[in-house]
Amino acid sequence: MPKTEVKIIGFLCNWCSYAGADMAGTARMKQPASLRAVRLPCTGRVNPLLVLKAFREGADGVLVSGCHPGDCHYNEGNYYARRRLEVLERMLPALGIDPARFRYTWVSASEGAKWADVVNEFTQQVKQVI
Amino acid sequence: MIGVFVCQCGTNIAATVSTDRVVQAAKSMLGVVHAESIQYTCSDPGQRAIIDAIQQKGLTRVVMAGCSPRMHEITFRRAIGRAGMNPFMLEMVNIREQCSWIHSGIDETTEKAIDLVRKGVARVRRQKPLQPGSSPVARRALVIGAGVAGIQAALDIADAGIPVTLVEKSPTIGGNMARLDKTFPTLDCSSCILTPRMVEVKQHENIKLMVNSEVEKVRGYIGNFEIDIRKKASCVIEEKCTGCLICQEKCPSKAPDDFNACAGESKAISIPFPQAVPLVASLRKEYCRLFISGKCSVCQKVCPADAIDYGQEDTVVTEKFGAVVVATGFGLYDWKQSYPTYGMGMYPDVINALKYERLLSASGPTGGHIERPSDGKEPRDIVFISCIGSRDESVGRPQCCSIGCMYMAKQAILTKEHIPDSQSYIFYIDVRAAGKGYDEFARRAQTDFGAIYIRGRVGKIYPRGGKLVVMGTDTLAGDQVEIEADLVVLATGLTPAEGAGGLARRLNISTDGQGFMAEGHPKLKPVETNTGGVFLAGACQGPKDIPASVAQAGAAAAKVIGLLSREEIETSPMVAEVNQLKCTGCFKCRDVCPYGAIENQDAMGGQVAHVIASLCQGCGLCNVACPPGVISLKGYTDNQLIAEVVEVLR
C-alpha cells in the first residue's frame, strides 16, 4: 500500500529554485503539502551528510534543487553540488536507502510550473517506494 | 527570548492556515516567550506591534511567519533594527508562497506551517548577531548597448555627474530605433527624435563611447566590478576618419547591408547610415577583397585622412565600474524554418516588418519609395500578418511581442501616405493597443486610412502570376479569405539580441524561458537583477516599445545614480569565517572558492586559511569542502541547517 502522507525535505538555493517555488506559489500552482523547504545560498552549500542526516531523522524523501548548470549565481557552485550529489545518489543503495527517495534537479527562478511538476512527481515517486 | 509573529496577510494566509493554531503551537516551542497573529505584519501598525512586543517583552530573536523572505526580509530586518535589535536576529518563515497559496486543506496546510515555524525557531535560536561590512564604490558606470534605452540611461547617469562608459558592439549607436522611419502613435520621425540624443552622447564630457566593442570578462561585485572590454579592430583609425565616405564609394567589395535589414547592399568598408555616431567608417574583413584574396587596398589609397590601418588589432581595455546597466535590446524572430507554408524565405516579396520599415524610410536604400524586392515595382495590395513567432504555442513562442499591432497600424498608415491608391490588409488575432493614444491610433488606420482588418491566421502563401496568393481565414465572418498581394509583411516576434545569453552568463544574471534577462522581482524590482549592481533597461528584459524602454532606462539610471552617490556600500555579513585554531591548512576551501576570497595566513604557528570578507559572496562552497569542518558560513552554519532538518522532521 503506498503511503498517503509523506514528508520531503527540500534543499533549495535562494537564487533559482527557492524563487521558482515562490513563483509557483504566486501563480497558485497546487502542490501536495509534502515538501518542507530549507533555504540555502547555493546547492554548493549542501553537504551530502546533510542529506543523509535528513534521511536518518526520518525524511521520506530529500530533494535538492538549484540553478541550471551554467546559471549558478556563484558561477560554479552547482557544478560542485552535481558531483557531490551524483556520488551520493550512487552510494544510497549501499546505505540501505532506496535512491528513488532522493532527487536533485535544476529549476530556475522563472520556472514556477516546472517546480510544481517536480514536487508533484517526486512526491508520487516517494509514495510509491515508502 | 524568541518572539513569533504570524502574519494573516488578510486572507492570503488566513484562508488556508489557522494562524491561531500556529500561534498556540509556537508558544510551546523551546525559547519562545511571545507569539501572536497579526492581520498585516508589513503594514505600519503591524510593524509597530512587532516593535512594541520586542521592547515590552525584551525579545532578542524574532521569527516572522508570513510571505517569502525574498519579498520582505529587508522590511522586517529594518523593523527589528528600529526596535534596537541586531537586524540579523530574524528568521523569515515562508507560509504564504510555499504554503498557504499552494495547498487547500486547512489541516495539512496548518500542520506544514507549524513545521516550518518550528524549523525557523530552531534556526534563529542558533543565529548570532552579524555586522554588515562595507566596501568602497568605484564611481563609474558601464552601460552595455547603445539603442534608445542605453543612450537614455547613459545620458541620465552622465548628467548626474557620474562618468559613464557606453559600450556598443556595432559600429554606430542608435540601435533598432535608428532604423525606424516613424514612431507610433504620433508618427514622429524616429531619427528626428533620436539623432540629437546620439550626438549628445558623443559630445557629453562624462560619456566615454566605445563602438565595435563587447564585454568580454566580468569580475568583482556590486560597487567594484572589474570588466574587460574588447574593442574589435575596424581597420580604421577612429580619431583620423572624417566620415567623408570616399572609401565606401570606391570600395569594390559588396557586403550585406545589415543596417537596412538587408533591403539594400553595402560595401566591405562603410558607414551604416548618414547620421551614424560616431561618423566613422569601419571595415568588415569577412567581405574585404584584401583579406579574402590579398589584393586590393583601394580604401587606403583614396582615404584623404590617412585613416586606414589594415594591421589594426583588437584591444582589450580593463576598467573598474561601480554599476552596470544592460540595454542590449532585441532581435527579430527568424520565421523561415517555423512557417514552411509561407515559403521559407523563397519568395522575395515576403519580408519582415523591419525590412519594410527601411523601404518606407527616406534614408533607406530606396530613398523612401516603396519598391518590392523582387522586381522593384510599387506594390498596390499589401498584406500584413501579425503574431509570427509570437502568441504561437505551435512554434514554442507564447509571448506577445507587444509592439506588432501598433507598428502594423503605423505601417498601414504610412503605406497609404506613400501610395494613395494602395490597399492594406491586416491579419490579426487581437488588436492590442493598450498604451496612451494607442487605440485611437490603431482605429485611425481603419477609419482614415482604409486598412482592412481581418481577424484570423494565414494558412498559406504561394506565388501566382507575379503576385502572392495569401490564403487565410476570417474567423469573424467564418469564411475563407484569399487575397492577391504584391507584398506580404510579417510582424515577427521579438527575441533577445544576438549574444545576450552569453553576456547574461558573464554578468551572472538569469534569463527567462525565452532568453530575456530576468528582473529581480516582477513587480517591485523591475530594473534590478538578482546580481547586485547590475540593472536592466529596455527590450533586453522583455519586448517593449520606445516609451517603456526610455522609462525603464531612466529608472535604471536612477538606481545607478543612487548607488554611485555613496562612497561606501554595505556588504552582506553572511560571509565565511575560519576557526583558525582548528584549521589544518589544507586549503581545500581556497581551491573551491570562486572569488579568490580565501588566502593563506601565517597564524597559529603555521599556514592557515583566512577569509577576505570584502571578497566573499557567501556561497558556502568552502563550508562543505572543509574536511575538519572549521570554516563556516555565517547565517548558514552546519548547526543551523542540521537544527532545521531535525526540527522539521520532529
Side-chain angles (χ1 to χ4, degrees), chain B residues 160-407:
Chain B
I162 295 169
V164 179
T165 300
L166 177 60
V167 167
E168 166 60 44
K169 73 173 173 184
S170 63
T172 174
I173 65 172
N176 279 309
M177 187 176 165
R179 302 155 110 177
L180 305 183
D181 180 34
K182 303 284 190 302
T183 57
F184 60 78
T186 49
L187 296 181
D188 276 311
C189 152
S190 186
S191 44
C192 310
I193 323 174
L194 185 65
T195 42
R197 307 290 280 164
M198 292 161 63
V199 176
E200 217 180 311
V201 164
K202 173 81 178 151
Q203 292 172 344
H204 205 295
E205 57 178 7
N206 285 333
I207 297 179
K208 177 177 159 191
L209 176 60
M210 294 179 74
V211 294
N212 288 319
S213 301
E214 287 187 57
V215 168
E216 192 163 82
K217 207 165 180 192
V218 181
R219 295 172 294 273
Y221 47 92
I222 179 169
N224 289 284
F225 293 104
E226 197 178 85
I227 297 178
D228 295 347
I229 301 162
R230 175 176 292 270
K231 189 165 175 61
K232 288 165 286 178
S234 66
C235 299
V236 177
I237 302 161
E238 225 178 287
E239 298 73 31
K240 286 190 179 174
C241 176
T242 59
C244 69
L245 284 174
I246 293 176
C247 57
Q248 183 173 338
E249 260 166 50
K250 302 290 182 192
C251 174
S253 309
K254 291 198 168 100
D257 190 351
D258 296 338
F259 180 79
N260 282 320
C262 294
E265 231 173 21
S266 182
K267 299 286 187 65
I269 187 162
S270 63
I271 296 179
F273 61 107
Q275 301 97 324
V277 172
L279 194 64
V280 170
S282 54
L283 184 145
R284 285 179 283 174
K285 289 182 182 174
E286 62 272 34
Y287 302 108
C288 173
R289 194 169 289 188
L290 178 70
F291 288 94
I292 294 169
S293 63
K295 275 192 208 146
C296 193
S297 74
V298 167
C299 50
Q300 193 172 46
K301 284 185 197 121
V302 299
C303 177
D306 195 22
I308 311 289
D309 173 12
Y310 296 122
Q312 198 179 69
E313 283 181 5
D314 292 6
T315 49
V316 177
V317 187
T318 304
E319 269 193 282
K320 285 216 162 212
F321 298 99
V324 179
V325 176
V326 185
T328 47
F330 64 89
L332 288 179
Y333 177 69
D334 184 11
W335 57 275
K336 295 192 178 89
Q337 296 308 312
S338 324
Y339 293 87
T341 55
Y342 293 180
M344 303 183 82
M346 284 188 303
Y347 314 139
D349 294 333
V350 180
I351 61 175
N352 72 24
L354 190 60
K355 193 164 176 173
Y356 191 58
E357 193 79 25
R358 295 311 298 153
L359 296 178
L360 289 166
S361 170
S363 67
T366 56
H369 301 292
I370 307 175
E371 295 169 7
R372 62 180 202 170
S374 63
D375 52 12
K377 272 195 208 149
E378 197 178 72
R380 285 282 168 280
D381 295 299
I382 297 154
V383 170
F384 295 88
I385 308 173
S386 78
C387 306
I388 305 301
S390 54
R391 301 187 68 195
D392 191 348
E393 289 276 12
S394 70
V395 297
R397 297 185 47 87
Q399 197 169 44
C400 173
C401 82
S402 92
I403 54 172
C405 294
M406 292 308 296
Y407 73 62

Side-chain angles (χ1 to χ4, degrees), chain B residues 45-108:
Chain B
Q47 294 190 34
R48 193 68 249 165
I50 296 172
I51 293 170
D52 287 348
I54 292 170
Q55 288 167 343
Q56 281 162 18
K57 309 255 170 133
L59 303 178
T60 54
R61 289 153 210 271
V62 167
V63 170
M64 256 301 314
C67 57
S68 168
R70 295 177 55 84
M71 185 91 188
H72 275 322
E73 191 167 49
I74 306 281
T75 310
F76 291 112
R77 274 187 189 157
R78 286 192 186 131
I80 69 167
R82 283 203 300 281
M85 275 177 61
N86 181 290
F88 294 90
M89 300 303 273
L90 165 79
E91 175 63 13
M92 291 282 291
V93 172
N94 186 341
I95 59 168
R96 194 179 75 165
E97 281 86 345
Q98 298 188 17
C99 192
S100 74
W101 274 350
I102 54 169
H103 312 310
S104 32
I106 195 157
D107 285 335
E108 57 171 14

Side-chain angles (χ1 to χ4, degrees), chain A residues 7 9 11 14-15 18-19 21-22 24-26 28-33 35-42 44-48 50 53-54 57 59 70-77 80 84 110, chain B residues 12 68-70 73 94 97-98 101-103 108 112 115-116 119 505 508 511-513 530-531 591-592 594-595 617-621 623-625 633 636-638 641-642 644-646 648-650:
Chain A
K7 257 192 198 183
I9 300 287
F11 295 107
N14 175 52
W15 304 100
Y18 196 90
D22 275 356
T26 310
R28 315 293 199 277
M29 292 171 177
K30 292 286 177 234
Q31 298 154 43
L35 190 100
R36 309 282 187 268
V38 174
R39 176 174 169 240
L40 298 153
C42 179
R45 175 66 190 87
V46 179
N47 194 323
L50 198 58
K53 178 74 178 169
E57 295 295 325
D71 273 349
C72 176
H73 185 77
Y74 304 101
N75 299 328
E76 52 205 48
Y80 286 100
R84 289 168 184 154
S110 58
Chain B
N12 281 305
S68 168
R70 295 177 55 84
E73 191 167 49
N94 186 341
E97 281 86 345
Q98 298 188 17
W101 274 350
I102 54 169
H103 312 310
E108 57 171 14
K112 175 169 168 180
D115 277 357
L116 294 175
K119 176 174 84 81
R505 273 192 293 279
N508 220 349
T511 50
D512 66 17
N530 273 336
T531 299
D591 297 342
V592 298
Y595 302 98
Q617 299 297 301
C619 65
L621 282 183
N623 204 146
V624 183
L633 177 61
Y636 292 96
T637 62
D638 285 344
L641 298 179
I642 290 169
E644 284 189 72
V645 168
V646 170
V648 85
L649 291 167
R650 186 179 282 257

Side-chain angles (χ1 to χ4, degrees), chain A:
Chain A
M1 263 295 280
K3 202 169 157 180
T4 49
E5 296 302 326
V6 291
K7 257 192 198 183
I8 294 167
I9 300 287
F11 295 107
L12 274 57
C13 92
N14 175 52
W15 304 100
C16 289
S17 293
Y18 196 90
D22 275 356
M23 185 179 230
T26 310
R28 315 293 199 277
M29 292 171 177
K30 292 286 177 234
Q31 298 154 43
S34 51
L35 190 100
R36 309 282 187 268
V38 174
R39 176 174 169 240
L40 298 153
C42 179
T43 47
R45 175 66 190 87
V46 179
N47 194 323
L49 292 174
L50 198 58
V51 176
L52 295 179
K53 178 74 178 169
F55 280 122
R56 218 181 103 175
E57 295 295 325
D60 297 306
V62 178
L63 175 66
V64 182
S65 187
C67 308
H68 287 273
D71 273 349
C72 176
H73 185 77
Y74 304 101
N75 299 328
E76 52 205 48
N78 55 4
Y79 293 142
Y80 286 100
R82 185 167 61 178
R83 285 187 184 188
R84 289 168 184 154
L85 298 172
E86 190 59 36
V87 172
L88 174 73
E89 191 168 31
R90 287 165 203 217
M91 278 177 58
L92 289 177
L95 298 167
I97 298 166
D98 190 330
R101 293 168 59 197
F102 173 72
R103 184 184 286 186
Y104 69 92
T105 182
W106 320 117
V107 175
S108 81
S110 58
E111 294 176 324
K114 182 177 174 189
W115 174 255
D117 288 345
V118 165
V119 175
N120 277 308
E121 281 167 25
F122 187 56
T123 304
Q124 287 310 315
Q125 178 178 320
V126 171
K127 280 183 182 173
Q128 292 302 317
V129 296
I130 285 292

